[in-house]
């Protein structure tokens, strides 16, 4: 999916909601645990209930890899279900990969070619040659960790380096990498006051924004400082939507929570959008 198609979907749905499919076995409703593939059945129900309100889905790889081969099969079934039934959805492999070049090439192949995700999250710490193998996939997006929503972000990301905060140096440097037009950036909603500075560096790039909902980030503040003329935001909510209920009505309750966010997003979009 290219950026223009993503923007068209945001405009059509009046939404920039990304739903995180972070499926914790202990939180799957009991009635699903009797099925052949509880994780996939959970995802399928959430997707079917919310697809008209969301523009993106983001499975976090840890929740699948923890189950070994069975978890990987659940992931594969989930992405295939999305690509077959809801091809308009932007899909994100939240894998946070990044290694030496030949290893990154294999990670990129696994997620962007074999599994056919539209994008993947990547750690920038190892630099240019660890990220460019992902950027080499022309119609795919690489989502670089820039300023994350966790408390430990302050350990390194906001430290000063040669008179500049480290996250700013990461963003500025990344713009020089080959095919950097395919970059998006992770910026946590709990760091809303930083968005204005980030927009000076990357005014036109899409930002993937975790931290709204269970982590306490403010959607209004994110939009105030982070939205551009094409919206330029994918705001993720995981736990606040997918675990709205632990009962048989879990998908219905997930839809209710997704609808609340979508309606708030619609109210925050530019009047001309």
């Amino acid at each position: 999916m290219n950026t223009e198609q993503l923007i068209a979907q945001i405009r059509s749905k009046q939404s920039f909601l990304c739903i995180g499919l972070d499926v914790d076995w202990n939180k799957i409703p009991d009635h699903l645990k009797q099925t052949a593939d509880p994780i996939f059945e959970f995802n399928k129900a959430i997707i079917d209930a919310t697809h008209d309100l969301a523009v993106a889905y983001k499975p976090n790889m840890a929740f699948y890899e923890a189950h070994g081969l069975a978890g990987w099969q659940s992931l594969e079934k989930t992405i295939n279900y999305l690509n077959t039934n809801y091809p308009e959805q932007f899909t994100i492999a939240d894998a946070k990969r990044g290694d030496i070049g030949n290893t990154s090439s294999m990670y990129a192949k696994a997620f962007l070619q074999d599994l056919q995700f539209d994008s993947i999250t990547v750690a920038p710490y190892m630099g240019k040659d660890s990220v460019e193998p992902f950027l080499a996939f022309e119609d795919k997006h690489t989502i670089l960790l820039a300023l994350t929503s966790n408390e430990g972000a302050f350990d390194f990301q906001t430290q000063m380096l040669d008179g500049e905060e480290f996250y700013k140096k990461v963003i500025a440097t990344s713009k020089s990498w080959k095919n950097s037009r395919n970059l998006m950036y992770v910026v946590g909603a709990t760091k809303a006051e930083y968005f204005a500075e980030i927009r000076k560096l990357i005014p036109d790039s899409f930002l993937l924004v975790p931290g709204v909902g269970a982590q306490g980030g403010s959607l209004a503040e994110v939009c105030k400082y982070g939205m551009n003329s094409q919206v330029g935001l994918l705001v993720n909510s995981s736990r606040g939507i997918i675990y709205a209920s632990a009962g048989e009505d879990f998908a219905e309750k997930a839809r209710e929570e997704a609808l609340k966010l979508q309606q708030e997003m619609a109210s925050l979009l530019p009047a001309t959008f």
Side-chain angles (χ1 to χ4, degrees):
M1 176 183 290
N2 61 39
T3 304
E4 290 71 25
Q5 290 170 319
L6 176 57
I7 293 169
Q9 189 186 181
I10 292 171
R11 181 177 289 110
S12 172
K13 293 181 177 178
Q14 293 290 286
S15 171
F16 42 98
L17 175 62
C18 173
I19 295 179
L21 299 174
D22 304 351
V23 187
D24 184 339
W25 177 266
N26 296 317
K27 295 180 180 179
I28 294 177
D30 288 338
H31 72 283
L32 288 183
K33 292 180 179 177
Q34 312 308 313
T35 63
D37 190 342
I39 293 175
F40 170 67
E41 293 299 335
F42 180 86
N43 284 344
K44 179 178 179 295
I46 294 290
I47 293 164
D48 287 343
T50 61
H51 68 92
D52 59 320
L53 304 173
V55 299
Y57 288 91
K58 182 178 72 64
N60 185 304
M61 295 304 109
F63 290 88
Y64 301 87
E65 292 171 342
H67 297 281
L69 178 60
W72 196 262
Q73 290 171 336
S74 299
L75 173 68
E76 187 172 27
K77 288 164 70 174
T78 297
I79 187 62
N80 287 344
Y81 187 76
L82 277 164
N83 287 340
T84 299
N85 295 279
Y86 306 108
E88 78 283 359
Q89 293 290 342
F90 186 73
T91 55
I92 302 168
D94 192 0
K96 300 180 179 71
R97 298 302 200 260
D99 207 330
I100 60 173
N102 61 337
T103 308
S104 281
S105 293
M106 294 298 103
Y107 282 138
K109 180 180 182 297
F111 290 103
L112 302 179
Q113 180 177 315
D114 296 346
L115 287 174
Q116 285 294 303
F117 276 92
D118 292 313
S119 63
I120 181 172
T121 58
V122 171
Y125 189 74
M126 290 181 69
K128 173 182 176 178
D129 59 321
S130 72
V131 178
E132 285 187 343
F134 298 95
L135 292 171
F137 284 77
E138 283 296 327
D139 291 325
K140 306 289 185 174
H141 291 83
T142 300
I143 308 178
L144 208 65
L145 300 178
L147 187 61
T148 54
S149 57
N150 61 305
E151 183 179 349
F154 296 105
D155 289 347
F156 300 113
Q157 295 168 28
T158 58
Q159 295 300 307
M160 300 300 289
L161 180 65
D162 297 330
E164 185 177 38
E165 289 158 302
F166 184 61
Y167 79 89
K168 290 183 180 179
K169 191 170 290 290
V170 168
I171 293 172
T173 301
S174 72
K175 292 164 62 178
S176 69
W177 295 340
K178 189 175 181 180
N179 294 330
S180 62
R181 64 185 178 278
N182 293 341
L183 281 172
M184 297 180 175
Y185 298 84
V186 175
V187 182
T190 54
K191 309 289 191 298
E193 66 273 20
Y194 291 90
F195 275 81
E197 289 298 308
I198 288 171
R199 277 302 185 204
K200 292 177 183 177
L201 292 168
I202 41 171
D204 301 320
S205 298
F206 260 85
L207 308 179
L208 173 62
V209 185
V212 166
Q215 294 185 54
S218 166
L219 180 61
E221 288 292 296
V222 167
C223 292
K224 179 179 179 180
Y225 297 109
M227 188 177 286
N228 62 25
S229 62
Q230 299 298 318
V231 181
L233 298 171
L234 290 172
V235 173
N236 182 77
S237 178
S238 300
R239 289 169 286 172
I241 291 177
I242 67 175
Y243 300 134
S245 169
E248 294 191 13
D249 64 346
F250 75 98
E252 176 185 340
K253 294 300 183 183
R255 179 177 177 80
E256 290 176 8
E257 294 304 313
L259 180 60
K260 290 177 187 176
L261 267 177
Q262 182 273 324
Q263 290 177 335
E264 185 179 359
M265 288 175 175
S267 73
L268 293 166
L269 286 171
T272 56
F273 191 78

